[in-house]
């Protein structure tokens, strides 16, 4: 009997700077984590996508382009925006209202990074098998 190899699945969409948009994006991340065989990390996936998309909307304005790549026991979350300024971990004051999102990403994801390109940058993170 031949075993089947799951096909990689990709979901691509835009997140506009609107009230319910991040909620809908989080739902897509939960579904992607489950599709990738990581239902136990569905909430982490939702949080990671939310943080990356919120950063893109806050700092680049307009729209955030999202790509969710599901592979067996792995999920890659990518958020692209037109601002070429690299995403970096920064020291945040204890009473600051913003500035901790990437620290959450670094703590929850097994890998994360920022790739600059001619259209801005893509901040990404991965859950599951490295």
């Amino acid at each position: 009997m031949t075993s089947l190899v799951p096909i990689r699945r990709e979901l691509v969409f835009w997140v506009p700077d609107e009230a319910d948009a991040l909620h809908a994006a989080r739902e897509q991340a939960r579904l992607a984590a489950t599709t990738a065989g990581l239902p136990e990390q569905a909430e982490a996936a939702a949080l990671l996508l939310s943080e990356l998309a919120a950063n893109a909307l806050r700092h680049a304005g307009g729209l955030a382009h999202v790509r969710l790549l599901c592979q067996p026991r792995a999920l890659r979350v990518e958020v692209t925006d037109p601002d070429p300024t690299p995403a970096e971990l920064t020291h945040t004051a204890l009473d600051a209202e913003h500035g901790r999102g990437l620290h959450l990403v670094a703590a929850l994801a097994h890998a994360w990074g920022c790739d600059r390109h001619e259209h801005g940058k893509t901040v990404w993170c991965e859950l599951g098998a490295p």
Side-chain angles (χ1 to χ4, degrees):
M1 175 180 237
T2 305
S3 63
L4 298 176
V5 176
I7 298 173
R8 123 182 160 163
R9 295 186 179 147
E10 183 177 31
L11 179 61
V12 178
F13 56 94
W14 291 93
V15 177
D17 194 2
E18 297 173 359
D20 292 336
L22 282 176
H23 173 75
R26 285 190 294 271
E27 288 300 315
Q28 292 300 317
R30 288 183 187 100
L31 177 61
T34 301
T35 299
L38 301 167
E40 71 281 1
Q41 293 192 2
E43 290 306 313
L47 178 60
L48 292 170
L49 174 57
S50 185
E51 288 297 330
L52 296 182
N55 281 348
L57 293 172
R58 182 177 298 113
H59 299 293
L63 294 171
H65 183 263
V66 174
R67 178 177 176 244
L68 301 173
L69 181 59
C70 304
Q71 297 180 18
R73 301 291 302 156
L75 175 64
R76 182 176 172 101
V77 176
E78 298 178 352
V79 177
T80 300
D81 69 60
D83 181 0
T85 306
E88 299 175 332
L89 292 174
T90 58
H91 175 71
T92 304
L94 292 176
D95 60 348
E97 292 184 21
H98 302 287
R100 293 179 186 84
L102 284 180
H103 290 278
L104 286 172
V105 172
L108 292 174
H110 81 261
W112 79 277
C114 179
D115 301 325
R116 293 175 60 189
H117 45 76
E118 64 184 79
H119 301 293
K121 69 175 172 295
T122 299
V123 184
W124 56 269
C125 63
E126 296 175 347
L127 287 170

